Amino acid sequence: MEPEVQVLRAAGGFGRARRLLAAASWLPCVVLGLALGSEPLLTALPGHHCRPDPSLLPPALRALSGSALLDASVPRLGPARGRSPCLLLRYSEPTPRATPNGTRSCTRGWHYALPAAGLLRSPVTEWNLVCEDGWKVPLEQMSHLLGWLLGCVILGMACDWFGRRVVFLASLVLATGLGAGEVLAASFPALLALRLLHGGALAGASLALYVARLELCDPPHRLVFSMGAGLFSVVGTLLLPGLALLAQDWRLLQGLSALATGLLLLFWGFPALFPESPCWLLATGQLGQARKILWHFAEASGVDPENSPEEESSLVTELDVLSAGSPQPQHHWVLELWHTRVTWRNGLILGFSSLVGGGIRASFLQRLAPRESAFYGPYFLRAGLEVAATVFLLLTVDRWGRRLVLLLSTLVVGLASLLLLSGVQYLPGWTLLSLSVLGLLASQAVSILSSLFGAEIFPTVISRGRGLPQSLEDSDRLRRSPLLRGRLCQDHLPLLPPSYCQAQTQLFQDG
């Protein structure tokens, strides 16, 4: 990555323009947090029971109303004697003193305890996704997660092929259209397909924005700006229940989310707020476009692009070095990572740690809120612990390092889960609660840090992971600059043999 480092340093480093753009990239995270946080609200399961059907009751009981009718129609189950959510009482004999001798399924629909998660109407209540159709709720959740996964894979590769800006804007267009399509969904299968595609579009927008922000920042500032974006995303998540209370209808809520995404496209569609990543342009050989962006960075940072101190090269010189030989734009395939075993092995390890951190989170949440009707407690607790995990990473990662904090957080997750599994019957309630909160906090930290760590170890463009051959190619370009030739062998001594450096130096001295 030496050519990119030198060019960005000559363009003013992490100066005023890059700082403002990196900070501006926080604001779209609020809208993306709103869109991504809607899934728990749409699938919240309200308390419910069967509507009484007087035609199934004996003649003497058909005139009942209110709670008496419910007692005669809906059975009570369990130690708490709660009303059954899916059954009605069955009477075999139509005599005045007939007693129930069994149960049967609901015949007239359900009565819901509303509002559920602030909504008077949701997909669950509109299409009665309860009891026999209750399996459709996890199906919808899995569809959204599958869309997110496919969006990360497909649109992630598109980021390397077409650029961060193109994928970000295309994903916003898709997310706006698909969000509006959900408002008009006439059936549950239509909503299922739209949620699948919508999850993929949101994944593409989030991923492109995350990578572009990371490439705008230099290594000392990556953690701060990445964690700042995470906090803004939590702000969007916290605003969503209030927006649901105002909307009270899931279609209106989705419409407002689509409108916010469209406004985001309207403002962040301008190149001034979201330019293409100069690192990606340099790595793919698109030097003409990179020159315009870097020239703006240099001027905004108070650096003269054409002149520089004697110990450093100017931006013009650095770009001329990269332009030597008229390089053509190059795009590469993700399978080229196979040539760098260290990179893909680290990627597998970080992917597995992220999978563990995200997968075990549901178990900790279930222990904190065992009742299905609970919504606000787990929702705000998860958001609060994400803020706590972000602050913890801000205080420790730059001091202790990515690897140590990741190992420590993974160890805490494992210990908390093992203690909960082995001591659930013996430990007091406050201990189980503390372990669940600690495990949830550590799992949040593992997920956040795995994403940051993974983005830093992977190359800007996949082909750069081929290692030594590509590094030598870049070094050959640097050798053509008289200003950089003197420090070339010192910078690349681990890659180049001493005899090669001596021969190049002698050729330069001989003219």
Side-chain angles (χ1 to χ4, degrees):
M1 301 183 183
E2 181 69 16
E4 294 175 22
V5 174
Q6 300 294 345
V7 171
L8 293 175
R9 185 182 302 165
F14 193 57
R16 179 174 176 270
R18 290 171 64 186
R19 290 176 185 268
L20 290 177
L21 287 176
S25 68
W26 291 345
L27 297 179
C29 295
V30 178
V31 178
L32 294 176
L34 281 171
L36 293 171
S38 64
E39 184 66 21
L41 279 78
L42 298 182
T43 58
L45 184 64
H48 59 280
H49 59 77
C50 297
R51 293 185 183 276
D53 189 352
S55 63
L56 302 178
L57 298 177
L61 301 179
R62 293 176 183 176
L64 297 176
S65 61
S67 59
L69 179 60
L70 284 176
D71 292 336
S73 301
V74 181
R76 293 182 178 272
L77 304 175
R81 305 300 295 167
R83 299 189 187 277
S84 172
C86 303
L87 298 174
L88 287 173
L89 290 173
R90 175 183 296 175
Y91 293 83
S92 58
E93 299 178 3
T95 59
R97 294 186 178 182
T99 58
N101 64 347
T103 58
R104 61 176 299 165
S105 301
C106 300
T107 58
R108 297 186 58 187
W110 289 263
H111 174 77
Y112 297 99
L114 297 175
L119 296 175
L120 294 175
R121 187 184 180 195
S122 69
V124 175
T125 61
E126 182 172 347
W127 290 302
N128 292 322
L129 306 180
V130 294
C131 297
E132 293 86 354
D133 291 332
W135 59 272
K136 294 181 179 180
V137 173
L139 177 63
E140 192 275 334
Q141 295 171 340
M142 289 297 296
S143 174
H144 189 67
L145 290 176
L146 180 60
W148 175 270
L149 176 62
L150 293 177
C152 288
V153 174
I154 297 174
L155 296 179
M157 290 189 293
C159 280
D160 287 334
W161 273 80
F162 305 108
R164 288 46 167 144
R165 173 179 165 79
V166 172
V167 173
F168 179 70
L169 296 181
S171 299
L172 287 183
V173 171
L174 289 175
T176 303
L178 292 169
E182 291 177 9
V183 177
L184 305 175
S187 62
F188 177 75
L191 178 66
L192 197 66
L194 289 170
R195 293 295 291 172
L196 173 71
L197 299 175
H198 195 195
L202 292 175
S206 301
L207 182 62
L209 184 65
Y210 188 91
V211 174
R213 182 190 308 111
L214 203 71
E215 292 175 347
L216 272 175
C217 302
D218 58 350
H221 296 89
R222 285 175 182 167
L223 177 69
V224 174
F225 280 87
S226 297
M227 299 301 104
L231 293 177
F232 272 75
S233 180
V234 175
V235 170
T237 303
L238 294 176
L239 290 176
L240 190 59
L243 191 61
L245 285 174
L246 295 176
Q248 295 190 345
D249 188 283
W250 74 274
R251 295 183 184 271
L252 180 57
L253 180 64
Q254 289 301 97
L256 293 175
S257 177
L259 177 62
T261 309
L263 292 176
L264 185 64
L265 177 66
L266 178 63
F267 288 99
W268 264 258
F270 290 99
L273 277 177
F274 193 77
E276 185 55 85
S277 169
C279 291
W280 179 79
L281 293 173
L282 291 172
T284 54
Q286 303 180 62
L287 303 180
Q289 300 180 42
R291 185 185 299 271
K292 299 178 183 179
I293 299 174
L294 292 171
W295 203 277
H296 170 70
F297 285 172
E299 292 179 343
S301 301
V303 176
D304 188 353
E306 299 182 355
N307 299 312
S308 63
E310 296 182 357
E311 63 273 9
E312 295 186 4
S313 301
S314 65
L315 177 61
V316 174
T317 303
E318 296 286 355
L319 291 175
D320 288 341
V321 171
L322 296 179
S323 301
S326 301
Q328 298 297 319
Q330 297 180 359
H331 304 284
H332 305 273
W333 184 243
V334 66
L335 295 180
E336 295 181 25
L337 279 176
W338 184 260
H339 298 285
T340 54
R341 296 184 178 180
V342 174
T343 301
W344 68 259
R345 284 178 181 174
N346 288 338
L348 288 178
I349 294 172
L350 292 172
F352 180 75
S353 65
S354 180
L355 174 66
V356 171
I360 204 170
R361 198 177 306 156
S363 176
F364 291 129
L365 284 172
Q366 185 66 25
R367 293 188 178 277
L368 289 174
R371 294 185 297 110
E372 293 184 352
S373 59
F375 172 77
Y376 290 107
Y379 187 87
F380 288 111
L381 177 62
R382 182 170 53 186
L385 289 179
E386 187 172 352
V387 173
T390 301
V391 174
F392 167 74
L393 294 177
L394 280 172
L395 296 176
T396 59
V397 170
D398 279 341
R399 180 176 299 178
W400 299 344
R402 272 80 162 146
R403 181 174 180 270
L404 180 59
V405 176
L406 181 61
L407 292 176
L408 177 63
S409 301
T410 306
L411 179 62
V412 172
V413 170
L415 289 176
S417 60
L418 288 175
L419 289 175
L420 287 174
L421 287 174
S422 60
V424 65
Q425 298 179 351
Y426 310 104
L427 295 176
W430 65 269
T431 305
L432 296 177
L433 179 64
S434 301
L435 288 174
S436 299
V437 171
L438 182 61
L440 191 57
L441 175 64
S443 64
Q444 291 276 13
V446 168
S447 298
I448 297 172
L449 188 54
S450 296
S451 299
L452 176 64
F453 204 171
E456 288 183 330
I457 67 169
F458 279 93
T460 307
V461 175
I462 297 300
S463 70
R464 304 183 73 194
R466 285 183 296 183
L468 183 59
Q470 184 70 20
S471 299
L472 291 176
E473 178 185 347
D474 294 333
S475 299
D476 183 67
R477 294 179 184 176
L478 287 172
R479 282 195 296 274
R480 298 173 186 175
S481 171
L483 293 175
L484 299 179
R485 195 178 306 190
R487 67 183 184 218
L488 172 67
C489 289
Q490 180 180 357
D491 293 341
H492 293 271
L493 189 58
L495 300 178
L496 302 176
S499 59
Y500 181 84
C501 291
Q502 295 173 3
Q504 292 296 320
T505 305
Q506 186 63 39
L507 287 174
F508 172 66
Q509 292 176 353
D510 292 343

